[in-house]
């Protein structure tokens, strides 16, 4: 639990036996462990229930009612949650006593001592022999009765400590007697205080209202508010907002409180204003204006509204990014595409209109995104190739960039802190987006403790944080496709979880998808003819960024997943047989895997030690695997069974290319110039009949379906005017007769604000690497 300065958290850190649990980050840690273990929200919910009554049995029905309300969970989901808790509290000593006991046909109970870890007070051991019951005022914590013997068994050292504590209690008891008599009347007027453990578990034993968030939401309207930017002092926020009365978006400005927003400027009809950026002196806001026929220009307006002046054109661009230079006299731009395409980072002097390219090492396929100067003007940090997603840093004057992160993550916005040393960035983890803080000097990474948060911005002074709070729920749908258009979406496997990446088998009989519907993020499988067969695939944590790939015979699936140390790997799963095998893929960092012309040939999108991307074809019938061919600069690939060809997108440009099944260099040719775009490089698929389907959006339609590379012209239809589709993968039926995709069933965004603490709390700050996100070692 993170709190603002006005409300100190009651207790966020609990000691359970030999382990420390931090509720806000869902982490479990103990002495000697190299990295913390992360609990799922459902596993943490089960732990909270067990902590309410240490040593007492908590029934399965009670756990279902509390942790899985308003659902019909199976026993498997509870078993999975308890199994994860046991793994989290596992010791290297095989003879160690268990922490959680299963009571057959009833429930579970916690068997170890529990205490609160607080900076300002000593730990309070919940051991009945050590808590003095002589007077209730002396009992700092409410102690559950009838704890099992394992909680109170003491060694000789503990027995000596107990005697000393008893003598101390007797010595001070008389001195406190007078104070007790004075306080007794006051105590009788109120209920006994809840224990610190109870407060940490459920914010008190009495229902007195919702727990305080560490942030507040300053927008409370339906729709989407995105891309916030803060004034230098953090008192005002500008952001992009949808307007129901008109297509497109506008820039709104308001204070960091819940005051009504005002329009920065009124865009002309048919135009959308996006990507606001506040100047260092707080007087102006730069933004982009988009219009028909891919028109684009960057403008500057007074922060109080009024006159708008032109800065530069950006027609036909995608992934537009810019920010102010530290002196406020210019703008720094990432790579540009379209009519005014330019590789690399450049600055634009606003007064003269003169461009200047930074002199630094830039690969031929690299696309630089979201460059920002540090507040002290010494550094520029940027995202290199958003399709890969890592942060890089270089001196402000140029030079050799250094890689800050090495995880190929889905970065969702980032910002400098005012000290010019720390970064706050959004990153997708499983089915949600979270904020992290990175120390650029030591590479220490900390979870800020905010769920469903992205697109952070930080004020230049005071470290006020604003971010986009988005808590979407995506469901699976089947959409019929006919010659005349699209049918109505049909919901598949309804749940209250977040489902994505539905991949149907080549024969249309099976489906796999990723979901957190059981409380744990997992890969799920079902026989389409038997919906009751739906179940998770055990022992595998899939990568949210890449979808799975079926073998041509529909018996196996290739899945990109991560091990317990967050290292990526390729797994081959036989869903019906419930078998999972990690493959010995001979690459440093696999990012996608596909079946080639047969089961012995695999296509792998990889990133090598020089940070170059390539598509490689391997023969796995020999050991080690034999490399058969490769194509440089590939960001995503699909295999077309009907055409015996490989389709792929590139880092360096939008559009679609093809090559033969052997990746012969002479067979490579472009088949679509503008679709998919760089930003939506994963939202396309190929059916068993060879048709290529693509999902995008536009101002008047949230999800647009396009059948691209047609002999005559692309066929475009509005699939759903209101609901967005997920951007991490979908599939088509074997004959192209249906699409299987994830659509938002609940969506929307708001702007949240909070004051960042001087130091993001971390129970174990000495760890340089996180179990979820790896950073580049500064040495």
């Amino acid at each position: 639990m993170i709190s603002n300065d006005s409300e100190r958290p009651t207790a966020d850190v609990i000691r359970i036996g030999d382990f420390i649990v931090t509720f806000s980050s869902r982490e479990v840690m103990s002495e000697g462990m190299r990295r913390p273990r992360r609990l799922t929200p459902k596993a943490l919910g089960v732990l909270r229930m067990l902590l309410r009554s240490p040593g007492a049995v908590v029934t399965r029905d009670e756990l279902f009612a509390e942790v899985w309300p308003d659902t019909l969970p199976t026993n498997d989901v509870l078993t999975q949650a308890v199994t994860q808790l046991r793994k989290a509290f596992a010791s290297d000593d095989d003879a160690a006593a268990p922490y959680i006991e299963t009571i057959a046909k009833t429930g579970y109970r916690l068997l170890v001592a529990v205490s609160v870890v607080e900076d300002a007070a000593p730990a309070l051991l919940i051991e009945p022999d050590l808590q003095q019951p002589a007077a209730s005022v002396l009992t700092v914590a409410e102690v559950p009765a009838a704890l099992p013997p394992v909680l109170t068994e003491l060694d000789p050292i503990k027995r000596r400590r107990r005697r000393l504590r008893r003598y101390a209690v007797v010595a001070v008891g008389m001195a406190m007697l007078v104070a007790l008599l004075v306080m007794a009347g006051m105590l009788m007027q109120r209920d006994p205080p809840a224990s610190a453990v109870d407060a940490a578990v459920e914010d008190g034993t009495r229902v007195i209202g919702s727990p305080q968030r560490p942030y507040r939401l300053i927008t409370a309207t339906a729709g989407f508010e995105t891309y916030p930017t803060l004034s230098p002092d953090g008192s005002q926020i500008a952001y992009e907002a949808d307007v129901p009365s008109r297509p497109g978006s506008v820039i709104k400005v308001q204070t960091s409180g819940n005051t009504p927003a005002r329009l920065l400027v009124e865009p002309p009809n048919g135009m959308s204003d996006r990507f606001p950026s506040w100047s260092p002196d707080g007087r102006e806001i730069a933004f982009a204006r988009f219009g028909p026929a891919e028109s684009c220009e960057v403008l500057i307006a007074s922060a109080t509204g009024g006159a708008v002046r032109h800065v530069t054109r950006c027609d036909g661009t995608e992934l537009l990014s810019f920010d102010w230079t530290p002196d406020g006299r210019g703008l720094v731009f990432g790579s540009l595409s379209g009519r005014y395409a330019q590789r690399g980072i450049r600055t634009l002097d606003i007064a003269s209109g003169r461009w200047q390219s930074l002199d630094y090492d830039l690969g031929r396929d690299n696309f630089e995104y979201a460059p920002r100067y540090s507040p002290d003007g010494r550094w520029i940090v940027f995202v290199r190739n958003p399709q890969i997603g890592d942060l890089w840093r270089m001196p402000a004057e140029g030079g050799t960039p250094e890689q800050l992160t090495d995880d190929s993550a889905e970065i969702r916005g980032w910002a400098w802190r005012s000290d010019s040393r720390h970064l706050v960035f959004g990153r997708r983890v499983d089915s949600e987006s979270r904020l992290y803080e990175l120390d650029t000097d030591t590479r220490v990474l900390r979870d800020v403790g905010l769920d469903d948060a992205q697109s952070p911005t930080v004020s230049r002074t005071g470290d006020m944080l604003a971010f986009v709070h988005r808590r979407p729920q995506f469901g699976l749908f089947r959409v019929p496709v006919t010659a005349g258009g699209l049918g109505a979406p049909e919901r598949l496997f309804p749940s209250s979880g977040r489902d994505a990446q539905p991949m149907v088998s080549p024969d249309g009989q099976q489906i796999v998808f990723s979901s957190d519907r059981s409380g744990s993020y997992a890969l799920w499988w079902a026989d389409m003819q038997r919906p009751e067969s739906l179940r998770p695939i055990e022992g595998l944590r899939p990568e949210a960024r890449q979808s799975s790939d079926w073998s041509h015979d529909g018996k196996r699936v290739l899945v990109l997943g991560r091990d317990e140390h967050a290292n990526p790997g390729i797994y081959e799963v036989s869903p019906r047989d419930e078998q999972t095998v990690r493959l010995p893929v001979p690459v440093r960092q696999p990012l996608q895997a596909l079946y080639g012309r047969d089961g012995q040939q695999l296509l792998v999108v990889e990133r090598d030690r020089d940070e170059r991307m390539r598509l490689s074809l391997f023969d796995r019938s020999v050991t080690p695997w034999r490399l058969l061919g490769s194509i440089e600069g590939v960001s995503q690939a699909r295999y077309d069974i009907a055409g015996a060809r490989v389709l792929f997108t590139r880092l360096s440009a939008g559009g679609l290319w093809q090559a033969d099944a052997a990746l012969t260099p002479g067979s490579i040719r472009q088949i679509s110039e503008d679709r998919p775009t760089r930003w939506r490089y994963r939202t396309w698929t190929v059916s068993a009949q060879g048709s290529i389907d693509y999902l995008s959006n536009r101002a008047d339609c949230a999800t647009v379906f396009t059948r691209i590379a047609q002999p005559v012209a692309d066929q475009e239809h509005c699939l759903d005017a209101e609901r967005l589709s997920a951007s991490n993968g979908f599939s088509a039926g074997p004959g192209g007769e249906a699409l299987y995709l994830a659509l938002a069933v609940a969506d929307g965004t708001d702007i949240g604000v909070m004051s960042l603490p001087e130091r993001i709390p971390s129970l174990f700050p000495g760890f340089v690497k996180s179990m979820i996100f790896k950073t580049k070692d500064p040495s």
Side-chain angles (χ1 to χ4, degrees):
M1 304 173 194
I2 297 178
S3 175
N4 56 31
D5 294 337
S6 62
E7 292 197 29
R8 294 275 302 168
T10 53
D12 183 43
V13 183
I14 297 293
R15 180 180 293 279
I16 302 177
D18 296 328
F19 292 83
I20 298 293
V21 177
T22 305
F23 284 98
S24 59
S25 60
R26 308 199 305 271
E27 290 181 339
V28 178
M29 195 67 199
S30 73
E31 191 71 27
M33 285 174 54
R34 295 181 58 192
R35 52 180 56 81
R37 298 166 181 168
R38 174 69 59 93
L39 296 175
T40 64
K42 295 302 185 185
L44 189 65
V46 171
L47 181 60
R48 289 177 186 272
M49 287 287 288
L50 297 176
L51 283 171
R52 292 178 184 175
S53 304
V57 177
V58 182
T59 68
R60 286 177 171 267
D61 290 341
E62 290 172 331
L63 290 167
F64 284 138
E66 181 72 19
V67 184
W68 288 271
D70 304 321
T71 61
L72 296 175
T74 64
N75 288 329
D76 291 341
V77 298
L78 176 55
T79 301
Q80 291 172 23
V82 174
T83 298
Q84 197 204 32
L85 288 174
R86 285 174 170 153
K87 289 180 179 179
F89 295 128
S91 172
D92 293 335
D93 182 5
D94 294 336
Y99 277 44
I100 299 174
E101 180 184 12
T102 300
I103 308 301
K105 300 182 180 180
T106 304
Y108 303 90
R109 67 173 176 176
L110 191 63
L111 297 180
V112 292
V114 181
S115 62
V116 174
V117 179
E118 296 184 276
D119 294 335
L124 306 175
L125 295 179
I126 300 185
E127 294 179 304
D129 288 3
L130 304 183
Q131 300 290 341
Q132 300 304 317
S136 61
V137 70
L138 294 178
T139 303
V140 183
E142 294 178 351
V143 182
L147 294 182
V150 70
L151 296 181
T152 58
E153 183 179 352
L154 303 175
D155 57 28
I157 295 177
K158 288 186 177 180
R159 285 197 293 269
R160 287 195 294 272
R161 290 177 178 171
R162 180 181 63 184
R163 287 196 296 270
L164 290 174
R165 290 177 184 175
R166 284 175 173 170
Y167 295 150
V169 171
V170 172
V172 301
M174 295 301 296
M176 298 182 61
L177 182 58
V178 175
L180 290 177
L181 293 174
V182 174
M183 296 171 60
M186 298 173 59
L187 292 173
M188 292 179 66
Q189 301 300 318
R190 61 179 184 178
D191 294 332
S195 72
V197 174
D198 288 339
V201 173
E202 57 179 2
D203 291 314
T205 57
R206 290 164 295 145
V207 178
I208 59 175
S210 300
Q212 286 291 326
R213 292 170 171 167
Y215 59 88
R216 63 183 182 277
L217 299 177
I218 65 168
T219 56
T221 58
F224 289 83
E225 289 84 23
T226 54
Y227 297 104
T229 179
L230 279 162
S231 61
D233 62 0
S235 63
Q236 297 185 79
I237 302 175
Y239 55 87
E240 177 185 327
D242 293 335
V243 179
S245 60
R246 65 185 300 277
S249 56
V250 298
I251 306 297
K252 290 186 175 182
V253 181
Q254 71 180 85
T255 65
S256 55
N258 292 89
T259 57
R262 61 178 174 85
L263 201 62
L264 178 65
V265 293
E266 179 72 44
N269 289 335
M271 299 288 189
S272 290
D273 290 350
R274 306 193 63 194
F275 310 137
S277 178
W278 216 298
S279 66
D281 61 9
R283 297 179 180 178
E284 296 178 309
I285 295 175
F287 63 96
R289 176 167 289 171
F290 295 87
E294 298 186 328
S295 68
C296 171
E297 63 177 325
V298 177
L299 306 170
I300 292 177
S302 168
T304 58
V308 176
R309 53 190 174 127
H310 169 83
V311 177
T312 187
R313 300 294 308 184
C314 47
D315 297 334
T317 191
E318 58 173 325
L319 291 175
L320 175 66
S321 61
F322 56 88
D323 194 28
W324 291 83
T325 56
D327 59 11
R329 297 178 181 177
L331 299 176
V332 57
F333 282 77
S335 300
L336 280 176
S337 59
R339 187 180 305 174
Y340 301 94
Q342 177 67 36
R343 295 176 61 245
I345 297 173
R346 296 183 299 165
T347 59
L348 173 64
D349 182 77
I350 296 172
S352 66
R354 185 165 53 248
W355 289 93
Q356 180 176 353
S357 297
L358 293 183
D359 184 13
Y360 70 101
D361 298 335
L362 176 65
R364 64 181 182 181
D365 290 329
N366 290 338
F367 189 93
E368 321 292 47
Y369 181 68
R372 295 191 178 97
Y373 284 95
S374 58
D376 62 9
R378 294 180 55 209
W379 301 99
I380 293 178
V381 165
F382 57 94
V383 178
R384 172 161 284 179
N385 296 323
Q387 302 99 317
I388 305 174
D390 279 310
L391 292 164
W392 292 67
R393 180 178 71 170
M394 70 177 176
E397 64 274 10
T400 302
E402 58 177 323
Q403 191 174 350
L404 297 178
T405 62
D406 185 26
D407 196 57
S408 300
E410 189 171 336
I411 301 292
R412 296 193 172 186
W414 76 272
W416 284 99
R417 290 197 64 165
S418 60
D419 61 6
S420 296
R421 171 173 170 171
H422 294 87
L423 308 176
V424 179
F425 64 93
R427 192 260 195 202
R428 180 168 181 158
V429 178
D430 296 339
S431 59
E432 67 173 336
S433 181
R434 299 184 62 85
L435 294 187
Y436 294 86
E437 183 193 68
L438 175 66
D439 186 324
T440 59
D441 289 347
T442 66
R443 306 300 197 267
V444 170
L445 186 76
R446 293 183 174 90
D447 192 322
V448 177
L450 299 179
D451 298 337
D452 298 299
Q454 57 188 300
S455 302
T457 178
V458 182
S459 61
R460 296 178 69 88
T461 60
D463 274 338
M464 178 66 74
L465 167 71
F467 60 93
V468 172
H469 182 267
R470 186 185 184 193
R471 195 177 183 85
Q473 181 192 348
F474 283 86
L476 301 185
F477 290 84
R478 179 184 184 275
V479 181
V481 179
T482 65
L486 304 174
E490 307 161 358
R491 185 78 183 268
L492 300 174
F493 312 112
S495 80
S496 58
R498 300 179 184 183
D499 304 331
Q501 301 170 313
M503 296 291 126
V504 66
S505 60
D507 60 5
Q509 300 299 308
Q510 305 171 75
I511 191 169
V512 292
F513 61 94
S514 60
S515 177
D516 63 356
R517 58 176 53 209
S518 67
S520 300
Y521 188 73
L523 187 73
W524 288 70
W525 168 87
D527 184 326
M528 299 283 281
Q529 306 303 314
R530 298 186 301 108
E532 69 278 4
S533 65
L534 180 67
R535 57 175 170 77
I537 294 174
E538 302 291 345
L540 173 65
R541 180 183 167 205
E543 170 59 56
R545 201 170 189 188
Q546 292 290 355
S547 54
S548 307
D549 186 64
W550 283 94
S551 61
H552 305 333
D553 59 8
K555 294 182 179 180
R556 300 175 305 280
V557 182
L558 290 177
V559 185
L560 177 65
R562 291 183 180 268
D563 62 18
E564 64 274 16
H565 303 300
N567 297 311
I570 302 300
Y571 297 81
E572 188 168 41
V573 179
S574 301
R576 291 191 184 274
D577 300 333
E578 301 186 44
Q579 294 181 355
T580 300
V581 177
R582 179 163 181 158
L583 300 180
V585 182
V587 301
R588 183 186 80 92
Q589 192 174 42
L591 301 178
Q592 187 192 10
L594 306 163
Y595 289 100
R597 68 173 67 186
D598 57 49
Q600 297 303 316
Q601 290 192 0
L602 297 188
L603 294 154
V604 180
V605 177
E606 60 165 312
R607 185 167 69 162
D608 65 17
R609 296 189 181 278
D610 296 323
E611 307 304 327
R612 293 179 305 206
M613 295 276 289
R614 67 168 57 89
L615 173 66
S616 298
L617 176 65
F618 291 99
D619 177 3
R620 65 166 175 170
S621 65
V622 296
T623 303
W625 293 11
R626 184 169 70 248
L627 179 65
L628 303 177
S630 64
I631 301 175
E632 298 287 332
V634 173
S635 58
Q636 190 83 173
R638 305 278 190 271
Y639 187 79
D640 176 12
I641 300 175
R645 58 178 178 167
V646 179
L647 302 165
F648 60 93
T649 57
R650 290 188 179 275
L651 287 172
S652 58
L656 190 64
W657 281 260
Q658 73 171 27
D660 63 20
L663 302 188
T664 307
S667 68
I668 299 173
R669 67 182 182 90
Q670 189 170 11
I671 59 175
S672 174
E673 294 184 358
D674 57 348
R675 300 173 182 176
T677 65
R678 279 194 186 92
W679 196 244
R680 302 188 67 85
Y681 72 104
R682 292 172 298 174
T683 60
W684 60 283
T685 191
V686 55
S687 75
Q689 299 300 313
S691 63
I692 304 169
D693 299 333
Y694 173 58
L695 298 180
S696 60
N697 55 31
R698 61 182 187 231
D700 63 337
C701 183
T703 299
V704 177
F705 165 74
T706 307
R707 186 151 281 174
I708 61 178
Q710 294 295 309
V712 180
D714 294 349
Q715 302 174 14
E716 185 172 289
H717 304 275
C718 182
L719 188 150
D720 198 299
E722 304 295 333
R723 295 180 293 193
L724 290 168
S725 62
S727 61
N728 56 352
F730 73 105
S731 61
E737 74 290 345
L739 302 178
Y740 295 84
L741 70 158
L743 288 174
V745 295
D747 206 356
T749 61
D750 286 298
I751 305 298
V753 296
M754 64 178 283
S755 179
L756 279 173
E758 181 177 347
R759 178 182 173 88
I760 300 296
S762 176
L763 188 59
F764 300 94
F767 290 91
V768 174
K769 295 193 176 184
S770 162
M771 66 177 291
I772 288 187
F773 191 96
K774 298 185 295 180
T775 57
K776 205 73 169 178
D777 192 329
S779 62

